[in-house]
């Protein structure tokens, strides 16, 4: 099983914290949609193996950017292009990332009649001051109204929340979570506010206009999030993702489990099990290449150490953990011995545990997962 990710590189306005690839100019939107469809066609043989059997596509994911800036006609055109050129399973998960300001009652009704069967809505916060600080295009009332409408027509909805925002108290954060839960949403993705280089947020912090996010506050918010969501029947299946039974993101789970996927559009990444590729992160260069029937992609063949490191990173972030048996079988005893040696201090400090031959972070270690993983990476000399 494989997936197709389609990157829509447009946003109405730039969020202060975002370092993803996008443009706020919609001038080339029509050209871009045609180019995305052409890339989908140009790459249709990538998932066909030596027996000429095509991998089945089980997920189509519209990410960005802000995919909801596309019209339903444009979205349906891209989905139809996938269906015409790939072997798609009977009931694929088709996700559209959307912002509340794009989800009017009329638009939600229209989307409910399309092949889209999952919405991922970028709420981030229900507090007006937070939304203004982050330069979000919607307000709190729009966030609540769109969730009220979306839940009438869609069963499978995810929303994003950001924690660790300067000035956000523990009580405010609890209220954000409770507000999200009041809509009966079955999936929540939640991330700490991070300060990326060359973003407006970094500049605002450097000039003293906004306070710097504090790790201690973010850590407290994370523990509150885990506690409240687990008490409400959510499974913490990945470091930043919580889902009710049957509502895990199939698209994201495929990535964490190392399945193959094709990334369409500027800056999109692809993976076939042995090679990783990434498209040029420039709309003009992307359009020019595709119009000349060229793929603007760079490829990297992953070494054994690269694949080991990726498995450590993704495995530790998920409930599936890192299988010590798989480490030995796939990478050899040298890697297994190295992993056990590097893990020892974290096992002693109760940040990692081994149970049924699976290495996982403890509750105490979860918030530190990425840092722990980097200490377990195999660095070739």
């Amino acid at each position: 099983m494989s997936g197709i990710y389609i990157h829509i590189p447009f946003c109405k306005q730039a969020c202060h914290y975002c370092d993803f690839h996008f443009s706020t100019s919609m001038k080339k939107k029509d050209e871009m949609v045609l180019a995305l469809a052409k890339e989908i066609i140009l790459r249709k043989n990538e998932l066909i193996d030596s027996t000429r059997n095509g991998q089945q596509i089980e997920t189509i994911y519209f990410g960005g950017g802000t995919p909801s800036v596309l019209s339903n006609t444009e979205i349906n055109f891209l989905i139809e292009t996938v269906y015409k050129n790939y072997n798609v399973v009977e009931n694929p998960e088709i996700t559209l990332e959307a912002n509340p300001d794009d989800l009017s009652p009329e638009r939600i009704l229209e989307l409910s009649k399309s092949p889209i069967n999952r919405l991922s809505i970028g709420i981030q916060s229900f507090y007006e001051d937070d939304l203004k600080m982050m330069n979000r295009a919607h307000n709190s009332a729009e966030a609540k109204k769109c969730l009220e409408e979306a839940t009438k027509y869609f069963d499978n909805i995810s929303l994003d929340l950001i924690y660790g925002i300067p000035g956000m108290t523990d009580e405010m954060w609890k209220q954000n979570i409770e507000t999200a839960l009041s809509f009966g949403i079955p999936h929540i993705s939640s991330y700490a506010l991070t300060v990326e280089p060359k973003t407006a947020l970094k500049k605002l912090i450097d000039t003293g206009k906004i306070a710097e996010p504090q790790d201690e506050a973010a850590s407290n918010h994370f523990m509150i999030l885990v506690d409240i969501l687990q008490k409400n029947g959510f499974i913490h299946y990945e470091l930043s993702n919580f889902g009710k039974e049957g509502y895990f993101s199939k698209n994201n789970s495929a990535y964490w489990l190392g399945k193959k996927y094709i990334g369409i559009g500027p800056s999109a990444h692809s993976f076939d099990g042995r090679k990783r590729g990434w498209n040029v992160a420039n709309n003009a260069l992307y359009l020019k290449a595709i119009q000349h029937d060229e793929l603007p992609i760079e490829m990297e063949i992953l070494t054994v150490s690269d694949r080991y490191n990726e498995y450590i990173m993704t495995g530790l972030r998920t409930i599936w953990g890192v299988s010590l048996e798989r480490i030995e079988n796939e990478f050899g005893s040298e890697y297994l011995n190295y992993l056990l040696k590097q893990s020892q201090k974290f096992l002693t400090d109760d940040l990692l545990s081994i149970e049924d031959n699976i290495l996982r972070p403890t509750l105490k270690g979860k918030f530190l997962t990425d840092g722990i993983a980097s200490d377990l990476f195999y660095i070739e000399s």
Side-chain angles (χ1 to χ4, degrees):
M1 295 290 185
S2 303
I4 290 183
Y5 170 84
I6 303 173
H7 187 81
I8 308 302
F10 300 107
C11 287
K12 286 180 183 173
Q13 64 189 53
C15 297
H16 285 161
Y17 57 85
C18 183
D19 71 340
F20 290 164
H21 171 70
F22 64 90
S23 168
T24 53
S25 168
M26 305 284 173
K27 284 180 185 174
K28 301 279 187 180
K29 187 162 75 78
D30 293 350
E31 277 183 62
M32 182 61 69
V33 171
L34 292 174
L36 294 172
K38 192 170 183 181
E39 187 187 358
I40 289 169
I41 296 166
L42 287 172
R43 299 181 68 181
K44 66 182 180 181
N45 293 326
E46 280 187 31
L47 296 175
I48 295 177
D49 61 25
S50 58
T51 64
R52 305 306 295 167
N53 290 320
Q55 288 262 335
Q56 285 193 300
I57 299 297
E58 61 176 345
T59 63
I60 302 170
Y61 191 99
F62 288 88
T66 309
S68 51
V69 300
L70 295 191
S71 69
N72 272 39
T73 301
E74 290 167 331
I75 291 166
N76 290 342
F77 167 63
L78 292 172
I79 293 171
E80 285 165 13
T81 305
V82 172
Y83 268 86
K84 285 176 184 173
N85 292 279
Y86 295 79
N87 179 11
V88 182
V89 298
E90 193 171 331
N91 291 303
E93 176 189 89
I94 307 182
T95 302
L96 178 77
E97 285 185 358
N99 280 343
D101 45 295
D102 291 324
L103 293 179
S104 65
E106 297 76 21
R107 183 75 197 276
I108 291 167
L109 177 60
E110 205 183 349
L111 284 169
S112 72
K113 296 172 182 175
S114 78
I116 300 289
N117 53 30
R118 184 174 183 271
L119 294 178
S120 177
I121 304 175
I123 300 291
Q124 315 314 353
S125 177
F126 291 99
Y127 288 98
E128 216 64 71
D129 286 347
D130 294 343
L131 296 171
K132 286 176 183 172
M133 184 277 287
M134 293 186 280
N135 201 39
R136 297 291 293 165
H138 69 277
N139 59 39
S140 182
E142 285 176 317
K144 292 170 184 173
K145 180 65 178 171
C146 91
L147 290 175
E148 201 177 289
E149 288 295 321
T151 50
K152 291 178 186 176
Y153 300 98
F154 286 87
D155 173 47
N156 199 351
I157 297 174
S158 176
L159 63 79
D160 290 353
L161 290 176
I162 290 179
Y163 57 86
I165 296 171
M168 180 182 279
T169 64
D170 289 354
E171 280 308 311
M172 289 170 70
W173 176 235
K174 286 177 187 175
Q175 190 55 51
N176 254 347
I177 302 166
E178 295 296 346
T179 302
L181 291 174
S182 70
F183 292 97
I185 302 296
H187 189 281
I188 291 176
S189 296
S190 192
Y191 310 89
L193 180 67
T194 54
V195 184
E196 302 293 347
K198 299 178 182 175
T199 58
L201 179 60
K202 177 77 166 78
K203 190 173 181 180
L204 289 166
I205 289 170
D206 288 347
T207 55
K209 292 177 182 172
I210 294 177
E212 191 158 5
Q214 298 300 309
D215 286 346
E216 187 179 347
S219 177
N220 288 343
H221 291 175
F222 177 77
M223 298 306 284
I224 289 167
L225 178 72
V226 172
D227 181 55
I228 293 176
L229 292 187
Q230 288 185 338
K231 283 177 180 172
N232 280 273
F234 284 77
I235 299 164
H236 190 192
Y237 72 103
E238 194 272 341
L239 186 63
S240 303
N241 287 272
F242 304 77
K244 294 278 183 82
E245 191 74 55
Y247 288 95
F248 295 1
S249 166
K250 290 181 183 177
N251 173 82
N252 294 348
S253 296
Y255 163 68
W256 297 317
L257 292 170
K259 294 186 180 181
K260 298 177 180 181
Y261 58 90
I262 287 179
I264 301 293
S267 82
H269 283 233
S270 304
F271 177 66
D272 70 358
R274 298 285 166 175
K275 297 193 300 294
R276 186 168 299 292
W278 55 94
N279 284 351
V280 64
N282 179 297
N283 287 7
L285 293 177
Y286 173 83
L287 288 171
K288 186 178 179 183
I290 295 295
Q291 285 161 1
H292 287 88
D293 294 338
E294 295 168 3
L295 292 174
I297 189 168
E298 283 188 57
M299 301 295 292
E300 171 192 23
I301 297 172
L302 300 178
T303 65
V304 174
S305 295
D306 290 334
R307 289 188 285 113
Y308 162 87
N309 291 343
E310 289 213 359
Y311 178 50
I312 294 295
M313 175 60 84
T314 54
L316 285 185
R317 288 182 64 100
T318 68
I319 54 169
W320 302 291
V322 173
S323 164
L324 300 182
E325 184 181 1
R326 179 179 164 184
I327 292 287
E328 184 164 32
N329 291 343
E330 197 170 317
F331 306 106
S333 56
E334 180 187 345
Y335 283 87
L336 176 62
N337 293 335
Y338 176 82
L339 175 60
L340 292 172
K341 181 185 171 189
Q342 293 296 107
S343 300
Q344 197 52 58
K345 61 183 175 183
F346 300 114
L347 292 164
T348 303
D349 292 341
D350 190 33
L351 297 173
L352 291 177
S353 68
I354 296 176
E355 194 176 335
D356 298 329
N357 222 21
I358 302 290
L359 182 71
R360 293 187 182 92
T362 61
L363 179 58
K364 183 179 165 186
K366 275 187 176 179
F367 186 69
L368 305 170
T369 296
D370 289 347
I372 293 170
S374 66
D375 275 6
L376 305 183
F377 288 168
Y378 191 96
I379 309 299
E380 293 178 348
S381 52

